[in-house]
Amino acid sequence: MSAKTVARFGLMTGVMLVLGYVESLLPAFGAPGIKLGLSNTVLLYALLLSGPKDALLLAAMKVLLSGFLFGSPSAMLYSAAGAALSLFVMALLSRFHGVSPIGISVAGAVSHNIGQCAVAVLFIKVQAVLVYLPVLLISAVITGIVTGITAKYLIRHIKKK
């Protein structure tokens, strides 16, 4: 790995951590547990411009570092499940040329919530979380649109440079 690549990864990891931390300081949007997912803008950028391997490495770094710095082992489990499913779906959709960054982002946000709820149901045996899933999915569509629009313009700006 070149020094330029390492520096780029370090920068993107740092930006993701800062955005995640800033977001944790904001009040919940509408209901508990709902976040904008601002750091996912960086992940979507990495996926679309660098590829799935780079995005996977970034997602793993974010899950581990955020968990150790700001979370707990259970938070890391939920985050890892959401990130894994989300990244899989986004990587799959990114292979289709007709799907925009906004569509990929929405699918990723929805998948993230499904992954987290699946962990709660399968491992923690908390099935009551499924009652909350429709609220999470509606919020995922809204936040996915915001994140996707942000990533779309970020990618467009960076490609011009």
mmCIF file of all heavy atoms in Angstrom, residues 6-7 15 25 31 36 38-39 49 58 61 68 80 102-103 110 118-119 121 123 131 136-137 145 153 157 160:
data_model
loop_
_atom_site.group_PDB
_atom_site.id
_atom_site.type_symbol
_atom_site.label_atom_id
_atom_site.label_comp_id
_atom_site.label_asym_id
_atom_site.label_seq_id
_atom_site.Cartn_x
_atom_site.Cartn_y
_atom_site.Cartn_z
ATOM 1 N N VAL A 6 -2.438 5.073 2.245
ATOM 2 C CA VAL A 6 -2.527 5.020 3.705
ATOM 3 C C VAL A 6 -3.024 6.361 4.252
ATOM 4 O O VAL A 6 -3.893 6.404 5.135
ATOM 5 C CB VAL A 6 -1.169 4.633 4.328
ATOM 6 C CG1 VAL A 6 -1.194 4.797 5.839
ATOM 7 C CG2 VAL A 6 -0.801 3.209 3.951
ATOM 8 N N ALA A 7 -2.497 7.447 3.717
ATOM 9 C CA ALA A 7 -2.920 8.778 4.159
ATOM 10 C C ALA A 7 -4.399 9.007 3.844
ATOM 11 O O ALA A 7 -5.146 9.545 4.672
ATOM 12 C CB ALA A 7 -2.064 9.851 3.497
ATOM 13 N N VAL A 15 -12.388 11.286 9.358
ATOM 14 C CA VAL A 15 -13.615 12.036 9.036
ATOM 15 C C VAL A 15 -14.836 11.232 9.465
ATOM 16 O O VAL A 15 -15.782 11.782 10.045
ATOM 17 C CB VAL A 15 -13.670 12.389 7.533
ATOM 18 C CG1 VAL A 15 -15.039 12.919 7.137
ATOM 19 C CG2 VAL A 15 -12.595 13.412 7.188
ATOM 20 N N LEU A 25 -23.686 13.455 19.459
ATOM 21 C CA LEU A 25 -23.985 14.578 20.345
ATOM 22 C C LEU A 25 -25.320 15.240 20.019
ATOM 23 O O LEU A 25 -25.880 15.962 20.842
ATOM 24 C CB LEU A 25 -22.871 15.634 20.250
ATOM 25 C CG LEU A 25 -21.478 15.173 20.668
ATOM 26 C CD1 LEU A 25 -20.464 16.277 20.407
ATOM 27 C CD2 LEU A 25 -21.451 14.732 22.122
ATOM 28 N N ALA A 31 -37.272 9.985 16.893
ATOM 29 C CA ALA A 31 -37.441 8.836 17.781
ATOM 30 C C ALA A 31 -36.062 8.361 18.234
ATOM 31 O O ALA A 31 -35.067 8.601 17.549
ATOM 32 C CB ALA A 31 -38.193 7.728 17.056
ATOM 33 N N LEU A 36 -28.721 10.571 11.408
ATOM 34 C CA LEU A 36 -28.590 10.914 9.993
ATOM 35 C C LEU A 36 -27.663 9.965 9.240
ATOM 36 O O LEU A 36 -27.836 9.735 8.058
ATOM 37 C CB LEU A 36 -28.062 12.341 9.838
ATOM 38 C CG LEU A 36 -29.083 13.447 9.947
ATOM 39 C CD1 LEU A 36 -28.396 14.810 9.930
ATOM 40 C CD2 LEU A 36 -30.097 13.368 8.834
ATOM 41 N N LEU A 38 -24.295 10.496 8.894
ATOM 42 C CA LEU A 38 -23.396 11.372 8.134
ATOM 43 C C LEU A 38 -22.100 10.680 7.733
ATOM 44 O O LEU A 38 -21.587 10.900 6.640
ATOM 45 C CB LEU A 38 -23.075 12.623 8.955
ATOM 46 C CG LEU A 38 -24.251 13.548 9.246
ATOM 47 C CD1 LEU A 38 -23.825 14.653 10.204
ATOM 48 C CD2 LEU A 38 -24.801 14.128 7.964
ATOM 49 N N SER A 39 -21.585 9.827 8.590
ATOM 50 C CA SER A 39 -20.326 9.160 8.261
ATOM 51 C C SER A 39 -20.498 8.193 7.090
ATOM 52 O O SER A 39 -19.528 7.835 6.426
ATOM 53 C CB SER A 39 -19.755 8.434 9.475
ATOM 54 O OG SER A 39 -20.629 7.419 9.901
ATOM 55 N N LEU A 49 -16.031 5.276 -5.466
ATOM 56 C CA LEU A 49 -14.817 5.729 -6.142
ATOM 57 C C LEU A 49 -13.620 4.805 -5.950
ATOM 58 O O LEU A 49 -12.734 4.759 -6.792
ATOM 59 C CB LEU A 49 -14.453 7.143 -5.693
ATOM 60 C CG LEU A 49 -15.427 8.241 -6.118
ATOM 61 C CD1 LEU A 49 -14.930 9.600 -5.663
ATOM 62 C CD2 LEU A 49 -15.677 8.230 -7.601
ATOM 63 N N LEU A 58 -12.801 0.476 5.517
ATOM 64 C CA LEU A 58 -13.259 1.670 6.230
ATOM 65 C C LEU A 58 -14.381 1.351 7.207
ATOM 66 O O LEU A 58 -14.395 1.848 8.333
ATOM 67 C CB LEU A 58 -13.737 2.729 5.242
ATOM 68 C CG LEU A 58 -12.694 3.630 4.651
ATOM 69 C CD1 LEU A 58 -13.322 4.562 3.618
ATOM 70 C CD2 LEU A 58 -11.998 4.444 5.719
ATOM 71 N N MET A 61 -12.956 -0.373 10.211
ATOM 72 C CA MET A 61 -12.249 0.593 11.063
ATOM 73 C C MET A 61 -13.233 1.433 11.866
ATOM 74 O O MET A 61 -13.026 1.679 13.057
ATOM 75 C CB MET A 61 -11.347 1.500 10.215
ATOM 76 C CG MET A 61 -10.190 0.776 9.546
ATOM 77 S SD MET A 61 -9.058 0.018 10.724
ATOM 78 C CE MET A 61 -8.373 1.452 11.492
ATOM 79 N N PHE A 68 -14.763 1.106 20.397
ATOM 80 C CA PHE A 68 -13.799 1.252 21.490
ATOM 81 C C PHE A 68 -13.809 2.654 22.087
ATOM 82 O O PHE A 68 -13.672 2.816 23.295
ATOM 83 C CB PHE A 68 -12.386 0.908 21.022
ATOM 84 C CG PHE A 68 -12.168 -0.562 20.799
ATOM 85 C CD1 PHE A 68 -11.629 -1.016 19.617
ATOM 86 C CD2 PHE A 68 -12.501 -1.495 21.772
ATOM 87 C CE1 PHE A 68 -11.427 -2.374 19.398
ATOM 88 C CE2 PHE A 68 -12.310 -2.851 21.572
ATOM 89 C CZ PHE A 68 -11.771 -3.297 20.373
ATOM 90 N N ALA A 80 -21.722 -3.631 13.686
ATOM 91 C CA ALA A 80 -21.095 -4.539 12.724
ATOM 92 C C ALA A 80 -22.136 -5.239 11.859
ATOM 93 O O ALA A 80 -21.960 -5.370 10.640
ATOM 94 C CB ALA A 80 -20.241 -5.569 13.455
ATOM 95 N N ILE A 102 -27.994 8.104 -4.514
ATOM 96 C CA ILE A 102 -29.123 8.292 -3.593
ATOM 97 C C ILE A 102 -29.840 6.959 -3.373
ATOM 98 O O ILE A 102 -30.132 6.576 -2.240
ATOM 99 C CB ILE A 102 -30.084 9.375 -4.121
ATOM 100 C CG1 ILE A 102 -29.352 10.717 -4.220
ATOM 101 C CG2 ILE A 102 -31.316 9.488 -3.226
ATOM 102 C CD1 ILE A 102 -30.088 11.778 -5.001
ATOM 103 N N GLY A 103 -30.099 6.230 -4.445
ATOM 104 C CA GLY A 103 -30.739 4.922 -4.320
ATOM 105 C C GLY A 103 -29.882 3.938 -3.546
ATOM 106 O O GLY A 103 -30.387 3.170 -2.711
ATOM 107 N N VAL A 110 -31.619 1.377 4.854
ATOM 108 C CA VAL A 110 -32.666 0.407 5.188
ATOM 109 C C VAL A 110 -32.022 -0.907 5.630
ATOM 110 O O VAL A 110 -32.409 -1.497 6.649
ATOM 111 C CB VAL A 110 -33.611 0.196 3.977
ATOM 112 C CG1 VAL A 110 -34.490 -1.028 4.160
ATOM 113 C CG2 VAL A 110 -34.464 1.447 3.752
ATOM 114 N N ALA A 118 -32.090 -7.615 13.147
ATOM 115 C CA ALA A 118 -31.849 -9.060 13.054
ATOM 116 C C ALA A 118 -30.963 -9.533 14.205
ATOM 117 O O ALA A 118 -31.209 -10.594 14.783
ATOM 118 C CB ALA A 118 -31.224 -9.413 11.710
ATOM 119 N N VAL A 119 -29.950 -8.738 14.544
ATOM 120 C CA VAL A 119 -29.091 -9.091 15.684
ATOM 121 C C VAL A 119 -29.906 -9.115 16.968
ATOM 122 O O VAL A 119 -29.773 -10.035 17.781
ATOM 123 C CB VAL A 119 -27.902 -8.111 15.811
ATOM 124 C CG1 VAL A 119 -27.234 -8.220 17.163
ATOM 125 C CG2 VAL A 119 -26.898 -8.370 14.716
ATOM 126 N N VAL A 121 -33.068 -9.678 17.329
ATOM 127 C CA VAL A 121 -33.992 -10.812 17.346
ATOM 128 C C VAL A 121 -33.252 -12.140 17.486
ATOM 129 O O VAL A 121 -33.625 -12.994 18.282
ATOM 130 C CB VAL A 121 -34.879 -10.806 16.078
ATOM 131 C CG1 VAL A 121 -35.673 -12.089 15.957
ATOM 132 C CG2 VAL A 121 -35.816 -9.602 16.086
ATOM 133 N N PHE A 123 -29.862 -12.887 18.304
ATOM 134 C CA PHE A 123 -28.868 -13.119 19.351
ATOM 135 C C PHE A 123 -29.320 -12.672 20.733
ATOM 136 O O PHE A 123 -29.005 -13.313 21.720
ATOM 137 C CB PHE A 123 -27.546 -12.429 18.996
ATOM 138 C CG PHE A 123 -26.906 -12.999 17.768
ATOM 139 C CD1 PHE A 123 -26.912 -12.293 16.580
ATOM 140 C CD2 PHE A 123 -26.316 -14.249 17.785
ATOM 141 C CE1 PHE A 123 -26.343 -12.805 15.431
ATOM 142 C CE2 PHE A 123 -25.744 -14.781 16.645
ATOM 143 C CZ PHE A 123 -25.752 -14.054 15.461
ATOM 144 N N VAL A 131 -41.529 -4.278 16.351
ATOM 145 C CA VAL A 131 -42.610 -3.295 16.366
ATOM 146 C C VAL A 131 -42.068 -1.926 15.953
ATOM 147 O O VAL A 131 -42.755 -1.135 15.307
ATOM 148 C CB VAL A 131 -43.249 -3.223 17.775
ATOM 149 C CG1 VAL A 131 -44.260 -2.100 17.879
ATOM 150 C CG2 VAL A 131 -43.880 -4.557 18.127
ATOM 151 N N LEU A 136 -38.124 2.772 12.023
ATOM 152 C CA LEU A 136 -36.720 2.802 11.616
ATOM 153 C C LEU A 136 -36.582 2.804 10.095
ATOM 154 O O LEU A 136 -35.730 3.506 9.545
ATOM 155 C CB LEU A 136 -35.962 1.614 12.205
ATOM 156 C CG LEU A 136 -35.754 1.608 13.717
ATOM 157 C CD1 LEU A 136 -35.134 0.297 14.159
ATOM 158 C CD2 LEU A 136 -34.918 2.789 14.154
ATOM 159 N N LEU A 137 -37.409 2.037 9.416
ATOM 160 C CA LEU A 137 -37.309 1.965 7.958
ATOM 161 C C LEU A 137 -37.738 3.265 7.283
ATOM 162 O O LEU A 137 -37.108 3.699 6.313
ATOM 163 C CB LEU A 137 -38.123 0.783 7.430
ATOM 164 C CG LEU A 137 -37.631 -0.592 7.874
ATOM 165 C CD1 LEU A 137 -38.504 -1.690 7.287
ATOM 166 C CD2 LEU A 137 -36.166 -0.799 7.514
ATOM 167 N N ILE A 145 -31.767 9.348 1.866
ATOM 168 C CA ILE A 145 -31.858 10.364 0.813
ATOM 169 C C ILE A 145 -30.898 11.511 1.107
ATOM 170 O O ILE A 145 -30.155 11.957 0.229
ATOM 171 C CB ILE A 145 -33.308 10.867 0.654
ATOM 172 C CG1 ILE A 145 -34.185 9.764 0.045
ATOM 173 C CG2 ILE A 145 -33.365 12.137 -0.193
ATOM 174 C CD1 ILE A 145 -35.689 10.065 0.063
ATOM 175 N N TYR A 153 -23.125 14.901 -4.431
ATOM 176 C CA TYR A 153 -22.444 16.171 -4.696
ATOM 177 C C TYR A 153 -20.977 16.130 -4.299
ATOM 178 O O TYR A 153 -20.134 16.739 -4.960
ATOM 179 C CB TYR A 153 -23.181 17.334 -4.030
ATOM 180 C CG TYR A 153 -24.466 17.644 -4.756
ATOM 181 C CD1 TYR A 153 -25.696 17.345 -4.201
ATOM 182 C CD2 TYR A 153 -24.447 18.194 -6.034
ATOM 183 C CE1 TYR A 153 -26.876 17.599 -4.879
ATOM 184 C CE2 TYR A 153 -25.612 18.451 -6.723
ATOM 185 C CZ TYR A 153 -26.827 18.149 -6.140
ATOM 186 O OH TYR A 153 -27.981 18.395 -6.828
ATOM 187 N N HIS A 157 -18.020 16.753 -6.986
ATOM 188 C CA HIS A 157 -17.018 17.782 -6.734
ATOM 189 C C HIS A 157 -15.594 17.190 -6.796
ATOM 190 O O HIS A 157 -14.690 17.782 -7.385
ATOM 191 C CB HIS A 157 -17.267 18.438 -5.378
ATOM 192 C CG HIS A 157 -16.243 19.460 -5.012
ATOM 193 N ND1 HIS A 157 -16.176 20.700 -5.608
ATOM 194 C CD2 HIS A 157 -15.232 19.410 -4.119
ATOM 195 C CE1 HIS A 157 -15.179 21.364 -5.096
ATOM 196 N NE2 HIS A 157 -14.581 20.610 -4.176
ATOM 197 N N LYS A 160 -14.305 16.383 -10.294
ATOM 198 C CA LYS A 160 -13.897 17.559 -11.065
ATOM 199 C C LYS A 160 -12.457 17.939 -10.764
ATOM 200 O O LYS A 160 -11.774 18.524 -11.592
ATOM 201 C CB LYS A 160 -14.811 18.750 -10.766
ATOM 202 C CG LYS A 160 -16.159 18.639 -11.394
ATOM 203 C CD LYS A 160 -16.991 19.867 -11.088
ATOM 204 C CE LYS A 160 -18.381 19.755 -11.666
ATOM 205 N NZ LYS A 160 -19.204 20.937 -11.333
#
